Amino acid sequence: MARVSQAHLDARRRQILDAASLCFARNGFHATSMQDVLKEADLSAGAVYRYFSGKEELIAAIVTETMAEVREAFQEATRQTPTQLPDTLVTSVLGRTLASRGGVLPDGGPAFPRLVLQVWSEIPRNPELADLLRENYDGVRRAWSDVVRLYQASGTMRADAEPDHVARTMIAAVLGFILQQALFGPTDIEVLRDGLRALMSVTDTDTGTEAGADAD
């Protein structure tokens, strides 16, 4: 029997995850059956169950894979000199994530934002998924905090800023942008970049200092 290459196995796994992502985004987690996933992937039950035992494993794999990509993107940023400023870095990472999850729904909207919304709605009913998401969120938060410390070391950001507070705020901006796309339709990533850039430029007109900075 011919040996199946790792590249083939990886491609098949990707095919299944992409099909499941589209199904979950289109119909919701509970309204999607494994038969729906099989049909979307155009694979037999045996081919799919070789990789995943059911919907719970599929959604866990999607969450883990996506968050790992986000963490890696921020970790890669810490190895670059100079480090990209927040407006560029955030939109670069989010744009990379959206591009890698580029499925399109029948109405023309991107699948990924609606998939994120489905995952959030499942958390109150699924403690295991909640724990998984919290663990991955903490990883992204730590990665962002590392970037903040790089800003501080280079003098780009105030030394008294709390890295974790900045990390949580930037994550909130990204999640809010994704939520807007899920609820109101596609928006160019440049909108988030330009908004962050404008906020970064705010100064106190009375003192000439940056907003939030203590005046001498």
Side-chain angles (χ1 to χ4, degrees):
M1 181 179 295
R3 183 176 180 181
V4 178
S5 69
Q6 187 60 48
H8 175 82
L9 294 174
D10 292 343
R12 182 55 54 83
R13 186 176 188 274
R14 172 84 274 130
Q15 180 181 353
I16 297 167
L17 287 175
D18 288 346
S21 295
L22 279 172
C23 289
F24 294 149
R26 183 170 56 230
N27 300 320
F29 187 63
H30 291 283
T32 296
S33 67
M34 284 301 291
Q35 189 61 39
D36 294 328
V37 176
L38 301 180
K39 182 178 179 181
E40 185 70 39
D42 194 23
L43 293 171
S44 67
V48 172
Y49 284 111
R50 175 179 183 180
Y51 295 86
F52 303 100
S53 65
K55 291 193 297 183
E56 287 73 16
E57 280 196 8
L58 280 166
I59 197 68
I62 292 168
V63 169
T64 300
E65 184 181 69
T66 302
M67 299 297 277
E69 288 178 1
V70 173
R71 283 200 310 276
E72 172 56 30
F74 280 113
Q75 289 164 357
E76 183 179 311
T78 66
R79 298 190 288 268
Q80 297 178 356
T81 304
T83 305
Q84 292 178 319
L85 293 179
D87 57 332
T88 304
L89 178 57
V90 167
T91 52
S92 173
V93 171
L94 181 55
R96 175 170 157 177
T97 302
L98 291 173
S100 68
R101 298 284 181 270
V104 178
L105 297 175
D107 63 2
F112 180 70
R114 296 193 204 176
L115 176 63
V116 171
L117 194 59
Q118 293 296 334
V119 171
W120 289 346
S121 67
E122 181 65 14
I123 288 174
R125 295 186 291 267
N126 191 328
E128 291 79 13
L129 180 60
D131 289 341
L132 175 64
L133 197 61
R134 185 178 299 107
E135 177 184 348
N136 281 279
Y137 169 80
D138 288 343
V140 173
R141 186 162 52 88
R142 287 191 294 271
W144 237 122
S145 296
D146 290 340
V147 173
V148 171
R149 294 185 184 95
L150 287 179
Y151 292 147
Q152 292 173 320
S154 66
T156 306
M157 184 175 288
R158 292 165 42 194
D160 63 346
E162 171 53 53
D164 183 63
H165 295 180
V166 178
R168 290 174 182 269
T169 300
M170 299 312 297
I171 293 172
V174 171
L175 294 179
F177 187 78
I178 292 174
L179 179 60
Q180 289 181 53
Q181 294 217 27
L183 295 177
F184 309 121
T187 304
D188 289 340
I189 195 72
E190 288 76 15
V191 172
L192 178 61
R193 180 202 63 197
D194 294 346
L196 290 172
R197 187 169 295 171
L199 289 172
M200 290 162 55
S201 70
V202 171
T203 58
D204 188 321
T205 55
D206 293 329
T207 65
T209 59
E210 294 179 359
D214 294 330
D216 292 333

